[in-house]
Structures are given as structure tokens and as C-alpha cells.
Amino acid sequence: MKIDIDFDKCCGAGQCVLVAPDVFDQRDEDGIVVLLEENPAAEQYENVRQAAAVCPAAAIRVEE
Ligand code: SF4
């Protein structure tokens, strides 16, 4: 699995961090997403898919 973030779309909603805190974080200054793991471990896949699904800006793209 590979994760692509469209940082221009991210509105700092933080939903991804709530769902997958081992993979996503947010910048302190503006809340824009920080990708901690571009190639997450298999046990994170479900959380990552869910994060992509709940992102209100559709900023998270997942390649399986
Ligand atoms: S859920 Fe989407 S919009 Fe919100 S911080 Fe994560 S990537 Fe950005």
C-alpha cells in the first residue's frame, strides 16, 4: 500500500489522525496533515482506508 496526500486539498480537519494516528499527524501551526508512514505496515491498512474514506477534503489517495 502506498499513500498519496494532496496537501493543497487538506483543510486540516484532522479526521485522518483520529482514525490512524500511527500514520497521520498534523502540523502544529496550521493543522495540515503530516504523513508519518508513506508505506504503512499491513496492520494499518484498514485504518488508512478508513482515514481516506472519512477525509472531508478527499485529500488522501490510497494505492493498494
Ligand atoms: S482528514 Fe483530510 S483534510 Fe483532515 S487533516 Fe486529514 S488529510 Fe487533511
Side-chain angles (χ1 to χ4, degrees):
M1 172 183 278
K2 184 173 183 304
I3 303 171
D4 259 329
I5 304 279
D6 187 335
F7 292 96
D8 291 336
K9 283 187 181 173
C10 175
C11 60
Q15 300 302 312
C16 55
V17 181
L18 293 178
V19 174
D22 292 334
V23 179
F24 303 102
D25 199 355
Q26 285 175 281
R27 299 199 302 221
D28 287 337
E29 59 270 32
D30 55 10
I32 297 300
V33 68
V34 175
L35 185 56
L36 301 175
E37 279 290 347
E38 195 175 332
N39 300 105
E43 59 263 29
Q44 291 295 330
Y45 286 4
E46 200 45 52
N47 289 345
V48 171
R49 290 188 195 108
Q50 203 181 336
V54 299
C55 174
I60 302 171
R61 202 161 58 92
V62 177
E63 287 174 30
E64 302 274 355

